Amino acid sequence: EADIYQTPRYLVIGTGKKITLECSQTMGHDKMYWYQQDPGMELHLIHYSYGVNSTEKGDLSSESTVSRIRTEHFPLTLESARPSHTSQYLCASSDSGPGAKNIQYFGAGTRLSVL
Amino acid sequence: QKEVEQDPGPLSVPEGAIVSLNCTYSNSAFQYFMWYRQYSRKGPELLMYTYSSGNKEDGRFTAQVDKSSKYISLFIRDSQPSDSATYLCAMSRIQGAQKLVFGQGTRLTINP
């Protein structure tokens, strides 16, 4: 079982609020990722990080921002939530050492609803 | 055109049936191939991993990769109601950013 944790699991919030979705992993993985997934749709990569102080935007444009100050922690922030941000957000991590298989391990996700 | 195509279903079969799930892809540089299972309101969990071409078997699950046809399959034998979930294929290149590219996922229901 993967040791990657996301909080909160569910969040209902009003328009204009600032929110931070937390993601932590205890596997010592260098690489971490944030995906957005709408019901019945594929995962879209919105941010990734290959190590501390390294962050990149993913394939899907997002108004969210991320930071990577510690290896184990990769929070995602929305400065001003809007109904269009309603979705499920999934965090993942993978190893990058010699022999790494590029397998990503996922957290349980945060289901965000913006009213 | 998407890099990875997967029929979203839904697919509904009786308990005990053999299930075949498939993905096609367009990028010949893909070398790592994975199948993830995602239960409702949960994150995806790795089910099978294959490097390059060939077959891999794990219990009731068999993964096949045919790189010449750019086609991968997941077979589930003696399917159980607990296998009801969405199955996502994923793949990546061996070089470069190694980001995973996911299929849309196939929603599978096994009926008792």
Side-chain angles (χ1 to χ4, degrees):
Chain A
E1 187 174 334
D3 297 321
I4 181 163
Y5 307 100
Q6 290 187 244
T7 57
R9 287 294 316 278
Y10 303 93
L11 180 61
V12 180
I13 201 162
T15 297
K17 300 292 186 183
K18 178 180 178 179
I19 61 169
T20 297
L21 307 184
E22 301 288 348
C23 177
S24 295
Q25 52 96 3
T26 59
M27 297 173 282
H29 288 167
D30 289 329
K31 297 181 179 178
M32 296 190 73
Y33 313 83
W34 276 103
Y35 291 88
Q36 186 174 339
Q37 185 183 35
D38 293 321
M41 303 299 288
E42 61 261 59
L43 281 74
H44 291 288
L45 182 68
I46 52 175
H47 298 283
Y48 62 99
S49 167
Y50 284 173
V52 171
N53 295 324
S54 154
T55 60
E56 301 286 346
K57 289 192 178 295
D59 303 319
L60 180 69
S61 176
S62 173
E63 293 168 341
S64 59
T65 59
V66 292
S67 63
R68 189 90 183 276
I69 298 172
R70 302 197 317 264
T71 298
E72 63 272 20
H73 194 215
F74 192 40
L76 181 146
T77 298
L78 274 167
E79 289 293 333
S80 180
R82 293 207 299 267
S84 61
H85 296 138
T86 295
S87 188
Q88 173 159 260
Y89 293 84
L90 290 160
C91 180
S93 71
S94 66
D95 192 12
S96 62
K101 296 180 178 179
N102 200 31
I103 295 172
Q104 292 186 17
Y105 298 93
F106 285 83
T110 293
R111 188 170 294 271
L112 173 66
S113 293
V114 183
L115 306 179
Chain B
Q1 183 187 2
K2 294 181 180 179
E3 279 191 289
V4 179
E5 298 278 359
Q6 183 177 8
D7 186 341
L11 180 62
S12 182
V13 301
E15 183 176 356
I18 296 174
V19 177
S20 173
L21 304 170
N22 311 294
C23 288
T24 59
Y25 62 95
S26 57
N27 190 342
S28 59
F30 287 143
Q31 295 278 353
Y32 296 113
F33 302 93
M34 283 151 263
W35 285 95
Y36 284 83
R37 178 174 61 195
Q38 185 176 21
Y39 291 114
S40 180
R41 300 182 181 275
K42 295 288 180 67
E45 57 176 333
L46 181 70
L47 196 59
M48 298 287 283
Y49 167 89
T50 309
Y51 170 64
S52 194
S53 286
N55 296 355
K56 185 173 183 178
E57 187 173 322
D58 184 1
R60 297 184 294 111
F61 299 90
T62 299
Q64 288 186 351
V65 176
D66 182 349
K67 292 188 68 182
S68 62
S69 302
K70 296 190 180 68
Y71 188 86
I72 69 170
S73 301
L74 177 71
F75 297 96
I76 307 174
R77 291 183 299 280
D78 187 26
S79 56
Q80 305 293 313
S82 59
D83 295 327
S84 298
T86 296
Y87 290 80
L88 303 107
C89 64
M91 49 198 78
S92 72
R93 298 171 298 164
I94 196 169
Q95 299 293 340
Q98 298 185 343
K99 290 182 287 182
L100 285 184
V101 181
F102 285 87
Q104 187 174 343
T106 299
R107 186 175 175 184
L108 173 67
T109 300
I110 309 297
N111 301 303

